[in-house]
């Protein structure tokens, strides 16, 4: 499938592909060979009509009464997501959360790897998290260029978030997962996604206290 | 505002309230006293028409040409979110990520506090993270009841996620933020929200590699 064809996929569908891919991999691990859209819908909490419409963008992937072939779908989505290629990730901010992310290092995933960690605190620079040496922020550009890294996770405190993101952009990073919730400015070619645990938790508590019937509300799936 | 009135707020609006609240607090900290929907829209990346429609549910909060009064909005949303009341949170799973969350402990927020941490690993039980002693999972019900905790963060590995969630539900927890991405079964009265860092990262990389014009896509805001 060419890049041009992929770009015809609606944005809403594209957003769900990593989720589909992840669950199909779980099914494969559990030796499930085929699945109906209804069953898949229950598993991932996305309406089955949405799943069928999404899958229809990738050609004739399912047959009525038979369901979808798990390994074939994995092949298609793996190709789209380019999962054969290792994605090298830089971690910027080696505080508590940063250290935990490096230690866990997406170990259940073949292709996502934090390969370098950075901090501006001279007491942290040179220390190790597992086998990764924390590097000085001033060496960010050099190392990012050398390693060919384009993706970074930022766990820098809010008040330093914009400055750190500026340095990342300057170094050539084009995709940033930011744990500081305050919106930062980035050029148009840079994608940024925020993980805001406080807001997630406040939303959860708010719904728990005020809505009794709405069992599940996963923003990412809707 | 009574519970009944609050329940008339559309779900989509309700989901955005914690986000609005958070940014209004940031504005207040920066000594901003009023803000127009357009400016607020740029700040939080939600369309200004959406903001105006959402705010209209709470009465006449803005005046044309003047904008919205930041401290008044904070008062309204604070009341809706019930932020005057401290929300006690249990942390279940005291591995790397769990420890980091306890250490950070939502320190920028007045009302969210992890007050207890649990693990089933006997080597961890009895050790401390900051001033919080890690307790045995078998004491979960006792402590949750004693402390009146209804919210938990789960950082238990995927393969033990369902069992841990079952224990939490049994103990009386009704709101769970789960860092294990695999969907678990919970009763209808329990709210569960997933933080799936792998899928977030794969989505981010996918968009970075395939879409050049779509600068920002924050699921929670759309």
């Amino acid at each position: 499938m060419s890049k041009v064809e992929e770009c015809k996929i609606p944005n809403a569908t594209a957003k769900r592909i990593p989720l589909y891919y992840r669950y199909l991999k779980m099914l494969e691990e559990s030796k499930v060979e085929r699945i109906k859209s209804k069953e898949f819908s229950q598993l991932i909490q996305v309406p089955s009509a949405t799943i069928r419409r999404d899958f229809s963008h990738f050609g004739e992937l399912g047959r009525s009464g038979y369901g979808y072939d798990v390994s074939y779908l994995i092949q298609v989505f793996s190709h789209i997501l380019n999962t054969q290629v290792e994605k090298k990730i830089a971690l910027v901010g080696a505080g508590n959360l940063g250290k935990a992310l490096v230690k866990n290092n997406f170990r259940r995933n073949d292709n996502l790897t934090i390969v370098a960690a950075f901090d501006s605190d001279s007491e942290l620079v040179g220390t190790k998290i597992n086998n990764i040496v924390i590097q000085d922020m001033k060496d960010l550009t050099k190392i990012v260029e050398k390693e060919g890294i384009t993706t970074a996770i930022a766990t820098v405190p809010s008040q330093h978030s914009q400055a750190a993101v500026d340095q990342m952009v300057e170094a050539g990073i084009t995709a940033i997962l930011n744990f500081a919730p305050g919106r930062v400015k980035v050029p148009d070619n840079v994608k940024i996604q925020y993980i805001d645990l406080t807001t997630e938790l406040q939303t959860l508590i708010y719904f728990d206290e005020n809505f009794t019937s709405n069992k599940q509300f996963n923003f990412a799936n809707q």
Side-chain angles (χ1 to χ4, degrees), chain A residues 50-196:
Chain A
T50 304
I51 293 172
R52 283 194 299 272
R53 197 177 55 236
D54 284 348
F55 285 8
S56 73
H57 293 292
F58 310 105
E60 283 297 323
L61 296 181
R63 271 177 290 150
S64 175
Y66 173 90
Y68 295 95
D69 188 291
V70 170
S71 72
Y72 179 69
L73 278 174
I74 287 175
Q75 234 181 299
V76 171
F77 293 143
S78 165
H79 179 80
I80 292 173
L81 293 172
N82 204 11
T83 57
Q84 312 89 319
V85 179
E86 191 205 10
K87 305 286 160 56
K88 292 178 177 179
I89 298 158
L91 184 282
V92 175
N96 297 322
L97 185 59
K99 278 180 190 146
L101 294 175
V102 174
K103 282 180 190 162
N104 290 354
N105 212 346
F106 303 97
R107 60 185 155 221
R108 280 174 61 84
N109 282 273
D110 332 325
N111 72 318
L112 299 176
T113 315
I114 296 172
V115 296
F118 299 87
D119 207 289
S120 56
D121 180 348
S122 59
E123 289 193 16
L124 285 174
V125 172
T127 63
K128 271 187 167 187
I129 316 168
N130 290 359
N131 58 344
I132 290 177
V133 180
I134 301 172
Q135 318 258 3
D136 197 313
M137 269 304 271
K138 69 174 162 45
D139 296 326
L140 184 72
T141 302
K142 196 177 69 189
I143 293 161
V144 158
E145 280 179 6
K146 196 183 116 204
E147 297 278 344
I149 300 169
T150 54
T151 305
I153 300 173
T155 57
V156 172
S158 289
Q159 67 270 34
H160 303 122
S161 175
Q162 181 70 60
V165 165
D166 288 348
Q167 279 184 275
M168 288 181 241
V169 169
E170 180 69 30
I173 296 291
T174 52
I176 300 168
L177 191 67
N178 194 356
F179 279 83
R183 270 45 182 172
V184 293
K185 291 204 173 76
V186 290
D188 279 355
N189 67 317
V190 174
K191 308 282 182 300
I192 188 157
Q193 170 79 330
Y194 299 90
I195 304 280
D196 183 349

